Amino acid sequence: MKDVHKSSVEFARDPGGSLFDAGARAAMARFAAGDDTLALEAATAVRTAFHAVERIRAHGVQGRGLSSGAFDILMRLSASADDGFSIGDLAQSAGVSSRNVTGLIDTLERDGLVRRTPDHRDRRSVLARITPAGQAWIESFRRPTQAAMAAIFRGFTPDELTQLRHLCLRLAENQHRLSLHLSRADGMDDRAGGTDDTRP
């Protein structure tokens, strides 16, 4: 598969020994016009790491007939085989739109890995539940997934993995707080005088 990984030889090291992307640093320096580029470089590195992990995951699941998004949904459903999840709950936990999840559930249901059932607690809601075939799919993919993740995180210590997880989730928390702040600000703008057509 093309571009399964990006070799570390493409990256440089700063005097402290930390890796950086020289091309990204140069671009960010021009963009920042003399201001500090560390946060911008960090954001670029997060995207690079995300795409590296996604390429590995996509390579594995596509060989088994699923997209990485469908695999994420199936894995979440496997943790709640009895109760299931609503489309909204799945969308919120996966950080994607309900429309996206609906399409993924359609695909998984067509393949016999998921089924929709009425929510007895709310007649207006439908729950997605993993099927026995879906659970079998997850079981068959467990070891290859563990091997792939062990390979891509080769050389990382447990403390480094814990810190990486912590820092990524801190970013997610900050983004969530920022989204709430922007939503409130947009609401106040609308109440103050309607929509400003000059905003992007």
Side-chain angles (χ1 to χ4, degrees):
M1 185 183 69
K2 185 178 180 181
D3 292 336
V4 170
H5 70 284
K6 186 171 186 177
S7 172
S8 61
V9 298
E10 297 182 34
F11 302 123
R13 288 188 182 271
D14 63 25
S18 296
L19 290 169
F20 71 93
D21 185 325
R25 176 170 291 181
M28 294 306 161
R30 288 192 296 274
F31 175 77
D35 289 336
D36 185 73
T37 64
L38 191 55
L40 294 170
E41 287 186 63
T44 300
V46 169
R47 287 196 303 273
T48 299
F50 167 76
H51 290 304
V53 172
E54 282 301 291
R55 281 191 290 270
I56 289 293
R57 293 175 75 243
H59 178 64
V61 296
Q62 286 172 0
R64 291 168 174 256
L66 286 185
S67 68
S68 58
F71 171 63
D72 277 344
I73 295 300
L74 192 63
M75 195 161 60
R76 290 174 192 278
L77 289 174
S78 73
S80 182
D82 295 332
D83 296 334
F85 284 105
S86 70
I87 300 296
D89 287 343
L90 280 170
Q92 185 174 15
S93 67
V96 297
S97 69
S98 293
R99 174 183 286 185
N100 191 329
V101 170
T102 297
L104 295 172
I105 293 296
D106 288 344
T107 298
L108 291 166
E109 189 171 36
R110 186 191 64 226
D111 293 343
L113 304 177
V114 166
R115 63 187 171 91
R116 287 180 169 93
T117 61
D119 185 349
H120 300 300
R121 296 163 295 187
D122 183 354
R123 293 182 180 179
R124 298 167 300 175
S125 182
V126 173
L127 298 177
R129 288 189 168 95
I130 193 168
T131 64
Q135 287 287 13
W137 196 102
I138 288 290
E139 289 297 322
S140 72
F141 198 56
R142 178 174 287 112
R143 292 229 180 257
T145 299
Q146 290 171 330
M149 291 301 103
I152 201 166
F153 288 108
R154 182 174 59 87
F156 284 63
T157 67
D159 285 346
E160 287 172 333
L161 290 174
T162 300
Q163 183 71 348
L164 177 62
R165 181 193 67 200
H166 173 70
L167 293 174
C168 288
L169 295 181
R170 278 181 61 190
L171 278 177
E173 283 185 336
N174 285 350
Q175 183 274 328
H176 179 67
R177 282 193 289 267
L178 180 60
S179 291
L180 291 177
H181 172 75
L182 293 174
S183 295
R184 286 194 294 269
D186 286 344
M188 286 189 286
D189 287 346
D190 291 342
R191 289 193 297 274
T195 302
D196 181 356
D197 291 334
T198 65
R199 288 185 300 169

